[in-house]
Amino acid sequence: EAQVTQNPRYLITVTGKKLTVTCSQNMNHEYMSWYRQDPGLGLRQIYYSMNVEVTDKGDVPEGYKVSRKEKRNFPLILESPSPNQTSLYFCASSPSPGQASTDTQYFGPGTRLTVL
Amino acid sequence: QKEVEQNSGPLSVPEGAIASLNCTYSDRGSQSFFWYRQYSGKSPELIMFIYSNGDKEDGRFTAQLNKASQYVSLLIRDSQPSDSATYLCAQGGGRRALTFGSGTRLQVQP
């Protein structure tokens, strides 16, 4: 089954304790992206990757890191989480952005993160 | 910077009615536009995309694009309670792929 998976789905942690949220897709998509979703603010892009070893900042990259060592995986790293990073996080993938018919992004199930 | 604006709602319609959701965008260079549906606590799921001026129909859903006026709309015919969700408009194109609006919450009253 074609899908984007994320782990963990729920996470409660404390300020300053490093964490990683994994994202994996089995569709051989080139493009992967991380979003956070907060009430009233919609989906805001954190980082994206056009392909292996190619990553770039989105709208709200502060406090986050990513890596793309393999095409299928795109982990999100919070080196020192803070309470303002409490949010719902989505990973998404797309065949090849920039072309109308293939801009479609497929979303993972989401990770609800709480930082105390 | 691209901006996509949506009325947050809630938009309340009776079952069987037509729901009309609207979205405006700032980037005239955008080539493609998307409507996603998101149930509470779930991930967004694609309803349809449109990249030509005019209407595009898919079942009970019709997307309308007017590039001159920079707006996109989604019509849902014969609305059902199961259509109650938040609808996200997004514009695409370029390296950054999609820019989302904050969504409109739709409530279909039985």
Side-chain angles (χ1 to χ4, degrees), chain A residues 37 45 48 59 103-105 108, chain B residues 32 34 36 38 43 93 96-97:
Chain A
Q37 187 173 37
Q45 191 178 50
Y48 65 97
D59 296 315
D103 262 347
T104 303
Q105 293 200 19
Chain B
S32 54
F34 300 79
Y36 282 81
Q38 186 177 25
S43 58
R96 293 281 301 280

Side-chain angles (χ1 to χ4, degrees), chain B residues 49-71:
Chain B
F49 67 84
I50 184 169
Y51 52 86
S52 298
N53 268 331
D55 297 357
K56 180 181 179 181
E57 187 174 318
D58 184 359
R60 295 187 297 113
F61 298 97
T62 299
Q64 299 174 319
L65 174 59
N66 184 322
K67 290 188 177 181
S69 300
Q70 294 178 252
Y71 81 78

Side-chain angles (χ1 to χ4, degrees), chain A residues 47-97:
Chain A
Y47 268 95
Y48 65 97
S49 170
M50 300 290 284
N51 214 323
V52 176
E53 302 291 2
V54 180
T55 63
D56 208 347
K57 297 177 180 179
D59 296 315
V60 288
E62 294 77 20
Y64 304 95
K65 286 176 56 177
V66 292
S67 68
R68 188 92 181 272
K69 292 182 170 53
E70 305 168 281
K71 198 171 188 178
R72 62 183 292 127
N73 296 322
F74 189 46
L76 179 69
I77 303 157
L78 284 72
E79 295 270 4
S80 182
S82 61
N84 64 12
Q85 293 178 299
T86 293
S87 187
L88 179 59
Y89 291 86
F90 289 104
C91 180
S93 71
S94 177
S96 52

Side-chain angles (χ1 to χ4, degrees), chain B residues 50-107:
Chain B
I50 184 169
Y51 52 86
S52 298
N53 268 331
D55 297 357
K56 180 181 179 181
E57 187 174 318
D58 184 359
R60 295 187 297 113
F61 298 97
T62 299
Q64 299 174 319
L65 174 59
N66 184 322
K67 290 188 177 181
S69 300
Q70 294 178 252
Y71 81 78
V72 191
S73 62
L74 180 70
L75 301 177
I76 306 175
R77 289 181 298 281
D78 189 23
S79 296
Q80 301 296 310
S82 59
D83 294 326
S84 298
T86 296
Y87 289 79
L88 304 171
C89 173
Q91 63 177 110
R95 292 174 59 85
R96 293 281 301 280
L98 300 182
T99 299
F100 286 87
S102 57
T104 298
R105 188 156 63 94
L106 173 67
Q107 294 177 340

